[in-house]
Amino acid sequence: MGTAADPGETRTSVWLTARPAAPARRRSEAPSGLDRERITAATVRLLDAEGLARFSMRRLAAGLGVTAMSLYWYVDTKQDLLELALDSALGEFRLPAAATEGAPGGAVEDDEAGWPGRLQTLARGYRRVLADHPWVAPLTAAYPNIGPHARAFDAALQRLLDATGLVDAARTGAHLAVSQFLHGCGGTVRRAPEDDFCLALDVLIAGIEAKAPAGRAPARP
């Protein structure tokens, strides 16, 4: 799978590329104190502080106190690192679990009324990520967004849609509506007040409830 992250550039996602192990002799030459996790965390901090347009491997390396070439022991390209940072940001909030399930993989039980309450939790958590990290929204449009946290997010959304009882075209339409709502709010999240976002979310949930089979839409308090 390729993605055009930059004009004229087609590349393969970091999540679909197996990075070959370096020979033992060369591994011993790698800079000490670095690993992918530390580099990714530093990337998130730099993006938060200076924004996507100013991000560079040189700036990142300077913040870590290493040379820019040192980073390439752990990632092949800057775009790979941006993908890793994107998925790291998406892992910052805990996902609502299905009401009948435990809480594996960081999911957390939600006591709100059925799937509408869990969908509100999911959407508000996603909005907080977009507000805290303005660079996330443009990266979700530029990259496949198929890292482990992104897949866990989609699995949580699929569980919520399972709970609605919707099938076929109605299920597809609900998934599309929620996905577009969440991804579309990235450009307005800093401008739209929280109350406006919640109102729009309530309208979306009401529309899904209207399509849900009788008995699958929990009564609102």
Side-chain angles (χ1 to χ4, degrees):
M1 180 184 299
T3 179
D6 294 317
E9 178 186 2
T10 300
R11 55 178 292 276
T12 301
S13 169
V14 67
W15 302 110
L16 300 178
T17 303
R19 185 176 173 85
R25 182 182 61 81
R26 294 192 61 209
R27 284 201 301 270
S28 68
E29 300 168 1
S32 61
L34 284 185
D35 55 37
R36 265 197 175 188
E37 290 72 22
R38 183 185 173 197
I39 294 170
T40 300
T43 299
V44 170
R45 292 193 299 270
L46 182 58
L47 288 167
D48 287 345
E50 300 194 3
L52 185 58
R54 288 176 55 83
F55 177 81
S56 71
M57 298 296 268
R58 288 185 180 277
R59 288 178 181 273
L60 176 63
L64 288 167
V66 300
T67 66
M69 290 305 298
S70 300
L71 303 176
Y72 293 103
W73 283 91
Y74 305 95
V75 293
D76 290 330
T77 67
K78 180 180 80 170
Q79 286 71 32
D80 287 353
L81 194 48
L82 291 176
E83 277 198 86
L84 293 171
L86 170 60
D87 198 66
S88 176
L90 293 178
E92 289 184 0
F93 68 99
R94 302 185 72 192
L95 299 172
T100 57
E101 297 179 4
V108 60
E109 293 291 351
D110 197 299
D111 293 327
E112 295 183 77
W115 65 262
R118 296 195 300 277
L119 181 53
Q120 288 181 340
T121 298
L122 186 75
R124 289 171 181 169
Y126 190 81
R127 184 181 189 273
R128 282 194 297 273
V129 168
L130 296 181
D132 292 343
H133 308 294
W135 47 271
V136 164
L139 289 187
T140 58
Y143 296 109
N145 204 15
I146 54 175
H149 291 119
R151 295 197 304 270
F153 180 91
D154 189 63
L157 177 56
Q158 296 292 353
R159 287 195 299 267
L160 292 175
L161 294 176
D162 286 343
T164 67
L166 295 173
V167 296
D168 301 329
R171 165 66 181 265
T172 301
H175 185 271
L176 181 62
V178 174
S179 297
Q180 289 188 340
F181 175 79
L182 294 179
H183 295 153
C185 73
T188 60
V189 68
R190 284 183 173 271
R191 296 193 300 272
E194 177 78 13
D195 288 348
D196 289 352
F197 173 84
C198 292
L199 176 60
L201 180 59
D202 283 344
V203 171
L204 174 64
I205 291 174
I208 297 175
E209 286 178 318
K211 292 288 186 180
R216 297 303 292 270
R220 296 228 177 204

